[in-house]
Amino acid sequence: MSWSVKTLKPSSPAARSPSAWGPRGSAPATIPARLTFEKVSHGFGDTQVLKDFSLDVAPGEIVCLLGPSGCGKTTLLRLAAGIERLDQGRILIDDTVVSGPTAFVPPERRGVGLVFQDFALFPHLTIFENVAFGLRRLPAAEAKSAAMAALQRVGLAAMAEAYPHVLSGGEQQRVALARALVPRPNVLLLDEPFSGLDKRLREEMREETLSILRETRTTCVMVTHDPEEAMRMGDRIAVMRRGQLVQLGPAEALYENPADVFVARLFSEINEIPCVVKNGKLCLGIADFFGDLSNVDLPENGSVILGIRQQDLVITDAHAPDHEAMLSQTYPKSLPGRVLSVKFLGDFALIEIAVDGLDLPLMARTTQCEAPPVGRNVTVSVEPEDVQAFSADDLDDLKN
Ligand code: ATP
């Protein structure tokens, strides 16, 4: 089947700048579905990739899967799309089991759209034909109007007759998005859709995609290994490690109450201070520094890692005249230290401070103008509620 479209000829890149795209159409709403993974386990040969993974994505919700390379994120999407057959567990779309021990709905009947990292456009088809590809069952006139509306929505109607190779990465990504959305999927799966784009384009595409998803109210699962991207895009974030769900929640909850040191590291740069707890008390020369720690869950006996975000350490100049008075009013305990290095990192300065009683220096962040010079004696303070404690067993687990 082929369509011909009467549209503007592909024009120069200048004519494709946002101002030349003209007003964008709005995308039609889909009927969002619930996507449920129930105790999903899956492997390849002897390698177990997903272990007992459960996740329920509400209709219209955007959930970001965040985790290190190889933890099973793409496998999960492939199983949901039906590209891969499941070993154990069930996947449901609304109340229909689409993958399970006795059921398998083929990919084309699941109402699931997929956008890959590499866009995967058909090089021998025009932009229009790429977008209209999933509409082959519709009458030609209807398919044409839907595909053109989708291209209009992503600002590329003028390029309908061009072939993918003449488009930039961002433009190809927009076409891939239009192609996935035009059949109005109940669920959209995005696999690191912005990772091939440069920083500015990535931000633009994220915003664009988010506004289309909100407009169409499409249920969406997006894979990323960029925590900032997950925080910007996801209603909830599902953190994965080694094929398992480690923590699930809105960005703020994960940032404020990370389940373990691994999750804490994803969302902030933290100082990690290993120490032993005996009879509920820290065995550390500078234990007083951390205050009463009534807010953290210390084991009665065992090893813990105390975590303090770099931006939560307060650095004051030990030579300032009102320094003692100011500190005693604000912070219960402080530590003397000396500045080892200061690095300017654009929005902030990273200060390395040697502190008596700690094997490793502490790292703190301040604005560049507040950064003390190298060699200066300073005082380091922290609010007790900014100290987190994690089980040291998690670290051992990460090493294995
Ligand atoms: P990345 O962020 O690098 O894309 P990921 O979290 O998406 O990683 P997956 O692509 O799901 O991870 O892969 C998980 C594991 O499964 C990897 O070790 C990978 O090598 C393995 N794997 C994936 N697909 C296959 C396959 N078809 N055959 C054999 N092993 C596979």
Side-chain angles (χ1 to χ4, degrees), residues 44 49 67-75 84 192 225:
F44 300 99
V49 173
S69 188
C71 72
K73 306 180 295 294
T74 298
T75 304
E84 195 80 51
E192 302 207 38
H225 44 231

Side-chain angles (χ1 to χ4, degrees), residues 273-276 281-290 306 357-359:
I273 304 158
C275 76
V276 171
K281 300 235 174 295
L282 297 179
C283 301
L284 194 68
I286 58 160
D288 281 357
F289 172 62
F290 300 103
L306 298 175
L358 288 181
D359 295 339

Side-chain angles (χ1 to χ4, degrees), residues 13 50 74 85 103 182 206 228 231 274 311 314 338 349 356 389 395:
L50 293 167
T74 298
R85 279 184 186 246
V182 77
R206 263 187 213 144
E228 191 187 323
M231 287 197 269
Q311 66 270 28
V314 180
R338 206 163 69 84
D356 280 348
L395 263 194

Side-chain angles (χ1 to χ4, degrees), residues 29-34 58-61 93-94 185-187 216-220:
T30 57
I31 302 166
R34 177 175 293 279
E61 189 183 25
I93 294 180
D94 285 333
N186 303 321
V187 174
T216 52
R217 295 187 294 114
T218 310
T219 307
C220 177

Side-chain angles (χ1 to χ4, degrees), residues 49-50 53 55 63-77 117 190-192 195 221-231 236-248 254 260 262-267 398:
V49 173
L50 293 167
F53 184 97
L55 173 67
V63 169
C64 287
L65 296 179
L66 178 67
S69 188
C71 72
K73 306 180 295 294
T74 298
T75 304
L76 210 52
L77 293 199
Q117 182 176 354
L190 303 176
D191 193 354
E192 302 207 38
S195 61
V221 179
M222 187 180 103
V223 161
T224 178
H225 44 231
D226 176 355
E228 191 187 323
E229 185 161 281
M231 287 197 269
R236 288 187 299 163
I237 300 172
V239 179
M240 290 178 69
R241 186 168 74 236
R242 294 193 190 136
Q244 289 183 307
L245 184 65
V246 177
Q247 193 171 8
L248 173 70
L254 269 58
D260 59 24
F262 165 82
V263 180
R265 281 178 188 172
L266 279 177
F267 295 102
L398 283 177

Side-chain angles (χ1 to χ4, degrees), residues 117-340:
Q117 182 176 354
D118 60 359
F119 324 137
L121 299 180
F122 302 117
H124 59 291
L125 298 184
T126 64
I127 304 306
F128 170 78
E129 287 164 347
N130 263 281
V131 174
F133 188 81
L135 302 175
R136 284 160 299 172
R137 288 202 211 112
L138 288 186
E142 218 177 297
K144 176 181 161 185
S145 127
M148 285 310 293
L151 278 174
Q152 175 82 12
R153 177 61 190 85
V154 295
L156 285 171
M159 300 300 292
E161 280 187 302
Y163 284 85
H165 71 272
V166 307
L167 300 186
S168 70
E171 288 168 338
Q172 290 191 41
Q173 190 56 295
R174 283 204 194 106
V175 176
L177 193 62
R179 183 177 65 179
L181 282 168
V182 77
R184 302 204 204 170
N186 303 321
V187 174
L188 183 66
L189 307 173
L190 303 176
D191 193 354
E192 302 207 38
F194 316 121
S195 61
L197 309 176
D198 68 39
K199 190 170 183 294
R200 205 171 139 261
L201 208 50
R202 195 158 64 222
E203 277 166 21
E204 234 174 79
M205 276 305 297
R206 263 187 213 144
E207 293 312 310
E208 185 75 45
T209 305
L210 202 53
S211 85
I212 295 177
L213 290 175
R214 297 292 183 216
E215 226 172 81
T216 52
R217 295 187 294 114
T218 310
T219 307
C220 177
V221 179
M222 187 180 103
V223 161
T224 178
H225 44 231
D226 176 355
E228 191 187 323
E229 185 161 281
M231 287 197 269
R232 279 171 185 252
M233 299 278 298
D235 295 316
R236 288 187 299 163
I237 300 172
V239 179
M240 290 178 69
R241 186 168 74 236
R242 294 193 190 136
Q244 289 183 307
L245 184 65
V246 177
Q247 193 171 8
L248 173 70
E252 207 179 333
L254 269 58
Y255 179 84
E256 293 298 341
N257 292 304
D260 59 24
V261 67
F262 165 82
V263 180
R265 281 178 188 172
L266 279 177
F267 295 102
S268 346
E269 296 289 341
I270 53 172
N271 291 285
E272 293 175 25
I273 304 158
C275 76
V276 171
V277 184
K278 269 195 192 149
N279 302 322
K281 300 235 174 295
L282 297 179
C283 301
L284 194 68
I286 58 160
D288 281 357
F289 172 62
F290 300 103
D292 64 6
L293 288 183
S294 52
N295 56 312
V296 299
D297 227 0
L298 285 182
E300 194 55 18
N301 293 294
S303 297
V304 295
I305 296 149
L306 298 175
I308 305 172
R309 293 191 187 100
Q310 290 179 351
Q311 66 270 28
D312 289 339
L313 281 179
V314 180
I315 311 300
T316 37
D317 185 343
H319 302 295
D322 56 348
H323 156 261
E324 290 289 340
M326 194 277 285
L327 275 184
S328 58
Q329 275 170 20
T330 324
Y331 299 101
K333 300 284 176 219
S334 300
L335 285 176
R338 206 163 69 84
V339 176
L340 297 179

